[in-house]
Amino acid sequence: MNRLYLLPQPPACMPLYIPSCGRSGYCFYPLSVPEECSFELVVQGKGSKWCYLGTYIISSLPEHPMALSEWMILDDQTKKSHCARLTARHFDNNHPPMSADLVKEHYDSGRWKIPCFVLRCVGFDKELCHTINTTVHQIHALAIHQTHDSR
């Protein structure tokens, strides 16, 4: 079984684009999975709904970073969250600490670019999709039942 990766909506993460289940797409900033290793991708949709998209392999696309115009249209909370995650992950003893505000300045000025990654769909696990949907429906039904019983 592959790793299961749950990707929340912005501002908790950077945006991604996959046109529909089982299709390839792209994302900005690396997911916490190694390149060229397959994983199952589940993304948060509107509200608290989650959707299984398929089995993916991620690889860098260095010649196509996020355009400055794309960065500028992101909401401020997504930008700040990204910069905070970056400072927490990427600075070590070999590099002096950098504030999230300074990182944001580098992105806002275009000095730094956010890398783009290809999300290549390599499969779709129908059984996993069914299991996720069944489990979500059972949890939802249980929550409704518990709410009704507490009245």
Side-chain angles (χ1 to χ4, degrees):
M1 175 87 176
N2 290 325
R3 292 181 189 186
L4 183 65
Y5 191 82
L6 302 172
L7 188 66
Q9 284 186 320
C13 72
M14 292 295 283
L16 82 147
Y17 174 75
I18 295 177
S20 61
C21 295
R23 303 275 309 275
S24 295
Y26 62 90
C27 65
F28 295 105
Y29 193 67
L31 305 178
S32 58
V33 292
E35 286 194 42
E36 302 303 329
C37 289
S38 62
F39 60 96
E40 306 299 335
L41 182 59
V42 178
V43 297
Q44 183 180 17
K46 293 188 179 189
S48 60
K49 296 191 183 226
W50 290 82
C51 178
Y52 170 68
L53 293 178
T55 307
Y56 287 84
I57 292 177
I58 189 170
S59 55
S60 64
L61 193 59
E63 63 276 7
H64 294 288
M66 178 184 274
L68 181 57
S69 60
E70 291 173 300
W71 170 257
M72 297 309 286
I73 62 171
L74 291 175
D75 65 277
D76 204 47
Q77 184 59 44
T78 299
K79 289 189 236 182
K80 286 180 180 178
S81 295
H82 170 72
C83 294
R85 280 190 303 275
L86 184 74
T87 58
R89 278 189 184 173
H90 288 287
F91 296 103
D92 55 31
N93 294 335
N94 297 329
H95 298 88
M98 186 176 288
S99 72
D101 289 336
L102 185 55
V103 170
K104 187 175 176 302
E105 266 183 46
H106 285 308
Y107 286 130
D108 288 346
S109 69
R111 281 179 285 200
W112 286 7
K113 304 282 186 204
I114 296 175
C116 183
F117 292 82
V118 174
L119 290 167
R120 186 167 39 102
C121 186
V122 295
F124 189 87
D125 187 332
K126 290 180 183 179
E127 186 176 323
L128 176 61
C129 184
H130 176 73
T131 300
I132 289 171
N133 286 336
T134 301
T135 303
V136 167
H137 290 315
Q138 289 171 345
I139 291 169
H140 183 68
L142 180 61
I144 290 172
H145 181 68
Q146 288 177 342
T147 302
H148 180 64
D149 286 350
S150 65
R151 291 183 187 169

